[in-house]
């Protein structure tokens, strides 16, 4: 065993303690109440990077939450890797469903439970650990590293594109590496070459100016909750297809190679559905579950509220009803175009007896890159060195808003090498990260820098 691998194995407990320390900071980007904690988290990460031996570590101000930027440029002539990740997390709610508190990382059965354990602090810390190991063993890294870890990914990465434009020269690199995606199974590594985009909306329906007695007024004016239900029901047809006009027009069809690759993937559809607890699979007719979650667009209600939801009964006709509705997009759909068509469609579905407002929250442009790019081969080799099974090459269903901006502004090849598992409960109570992913992933990152140095 080489010295680097020995070091990585010997220091696993230390790497885990380092991860636990940042998981204790509640860096929830969506909620202004956590603004101070988000900053404290950025400062903590910056300090940690200084101790690993990264030079020029900065906490960069933005209009929103700060970006942590760090460099190590001691390998002249070698390629430069731009590492991207996020230190912010999703809100931990609902709190009562957590077995142990979200910001008190707890180890159970080889899994570390905490908000952000997998998404994305655990994955950022694989890179921190891999860098620390190289610097400790060799006093240097095989490649130059620029690291950019943001604090707004979970709320749309609003400050990122202006940052990329302003820092374009400083961010010059040969390849972008991101660890914020998934594996196909605990022993099945994967590289991701496409992500879905997003349009996130809110529909607000108003009827009377105040709640009304449903005996005195019921039957006389339109109930906004009834109207909203009709609008939402009108968003899909009987085949599970979204009814927004033109929604599918720009959807890029899968190539024959991609279709074959999907058939060859070791994806256990029955187990995937069973793990969710849902009674059966459901989705757009004519497509497999795997296609539905990776390469087909969707439209989903994420939340809705109206009227009385307290104990017992209250005979009331609500004055207001609202829903959050989002659409996952695939190449080559355009968020702005989809939002405009969605808004027009919602207005058409709404009866004249209520007023409707449609808000566009935030979005993400879908991302796709060439799965045959030679840089990706470095990642294939790195994964082959650290896992028994050959890595799968796949599309994923989640969104990372900055990926499209990377392509547009910087144009470098992108490697998405992530280690999440489908039962990691990201964005949900009891998020966890498996130690097999954390330690295996750390090795893969350490080897990736070596493999990239050969380019
Ligand atoms: N890490 C995820 C994205 C992801 C999830 C990629 C699963 C591949 C598989 C990221 O942190 C995330 O949650 N993104 C948000 C983006 C949104 C808030 C704009 C998402 O996908 O909902
Ligand atoms: Mn993430
Ligand atoms: Mn996330």
């Amino acid at each position: 065993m080489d010295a680097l691998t020995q070091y990585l194995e010997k220091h696993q407990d230390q790497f885990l303690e380092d991860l636990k320390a940042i998981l204790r900071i509640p860096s929830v980007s969506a909620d202004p109440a956590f603004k101070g904690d988000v900053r404290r988290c950025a400062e903590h990460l910056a300090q940690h990077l200084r101790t690993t031996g990264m030079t020029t570590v900065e906490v960069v101000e933005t209009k929103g939450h700060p970006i942590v930027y760090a460099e190590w440029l001691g390998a002249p002539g070698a390629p430069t890797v731009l590492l991207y990740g996020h230190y912010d997390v999703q809100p931990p709610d609902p709190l009562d469903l957590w077995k142990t508190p979200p910001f008190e990382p707890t180890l159970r059965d080889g899994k570390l439970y905490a908000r952000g354990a997998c998404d994305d602090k655990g994955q950022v810390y694989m890179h921190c650990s891999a860098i620390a190991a190289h610097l400790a063993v060799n006093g240097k890294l095989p490649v130059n590293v620029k690291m950019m870890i943001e604090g707004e990914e979970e709320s749309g990465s609003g400050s990122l594109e202006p940052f990329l434009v302003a820092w374009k020269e400083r961010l010059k690199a040969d390849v972008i590496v991101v660890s914020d995606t998934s594996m196909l199974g605990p022993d099945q590594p994967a590289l991701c070459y496409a992500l879905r985009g997003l349009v996130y909306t809110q529909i607000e329906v108003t009827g009377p100016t105040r709640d009304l007695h449903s005996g005195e007024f019921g039957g006389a004016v339109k109930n906004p909750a009834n109207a909203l239900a009709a609008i939402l029901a009108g968003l899909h047809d009987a085949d599970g297809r979204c009814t927004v006009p033109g929604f599918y027009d720009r959807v890029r069809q899968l190539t024959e190679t991609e279709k074959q690759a999907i058939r060859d993937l070791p994806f256990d559809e029955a187990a995937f559905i069973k793990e969710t607890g849902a009674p059966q699979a459901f989705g757009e007719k004519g497509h497999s579950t795997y296609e539905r979650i990776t390469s087909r667009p969707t439209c989903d209600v994420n939340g809705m509220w109206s009227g009385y939801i307290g104990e017992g009964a209250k005979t009331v006709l609500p004055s207001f009803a609202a829903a959050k509705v989002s659409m996952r997009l695939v190449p080559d759909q355009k968020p702005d175009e989809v939002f405009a068509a969605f808004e027009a469609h919602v207005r058409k579905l709404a009866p004249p007896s209520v007023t409707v407002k449609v808000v566009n929250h935030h979005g993400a442009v879908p991302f796709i890159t060439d799965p045959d790019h030679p840089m990706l081969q470095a990642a294939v080799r790195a994964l082959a060195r650290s896992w028994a099974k050959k890595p799968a090459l796949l599309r994923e269903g989640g969104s990372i808003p900055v990926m499209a901006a990377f392509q547009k502004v910087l144009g470098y090849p992108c490697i998405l090498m992530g280690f999440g598992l489908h039962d990691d409960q990201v964005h949900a109570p009891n998020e966890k990260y498996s130690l097999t992913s954390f330690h295996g992933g750390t090795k893969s990152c350490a080897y990736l820098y070596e493999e990239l140095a050969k380019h």
Side-chain angles (χ1 to χ4, degrees), residues 86 88 90 118-120 123 152-157 179-182 192 194-198 200 328 362-364 396-401 416 422 426-427:
H86 61 96
D88 66 320
Q90 288 272 335
C118 165
D119 186 11
D120 185 31
Q123 304 210 51
E152 292 187 317
E153 197 273 347
E154 299 291 10
S155 34
S157 295
S179 294
D180 194 21
T181 50
S182 314
C192 170
L195 291 165
R196 286 195 284 192
L198 188 72
Y200 202 111
R328 292 281 170 182
H362 60 65
E396 285 208 73
S399 312
I400 304 178
L416 289 157
H422 290 301
V426 292
H427 296 201

Side-chain angles (χ1 to χ4, degrees), residues 7-81:
Y7 186 95
L8 288 166
E9 293 191 354
K10 204 168 147 219
H11 290 79
Q12 287 182 345
D13 290 346
Q14 182 58 52
F15 297 151
L16 193 63
E17 286 310 310
D18 293 341
L19 172 58
K20 282 184 183 168
I22 194 166
L23 288 171
R24 293 194 183 98
I25 309 175
S27 48
V28 180
S29 58
D31 185 346
F34 291 86
K35 195 164 180 259
D37 292 307
V38 175
R39 170 163 305 272
R40 193 155 59 85
C41 189
E43 298 288 353
H44 177 96
L45 175 59
Q47 194 46 41
H48 179 67
L49 287 170
R50 284 181 197 110
T51 64
T52 65
M54 291 294 282
T55 52
T56 2
V57 183
E58 293 174 38
V59 175
V60 184
E61 296 306 322
T62 73
K63 275 207 184 103
H65 301 298
I67 295 168
V68 178
Y69 180 77
E71 287 177 345
W72 189 91
L73 302 178
T80 299
V81 180

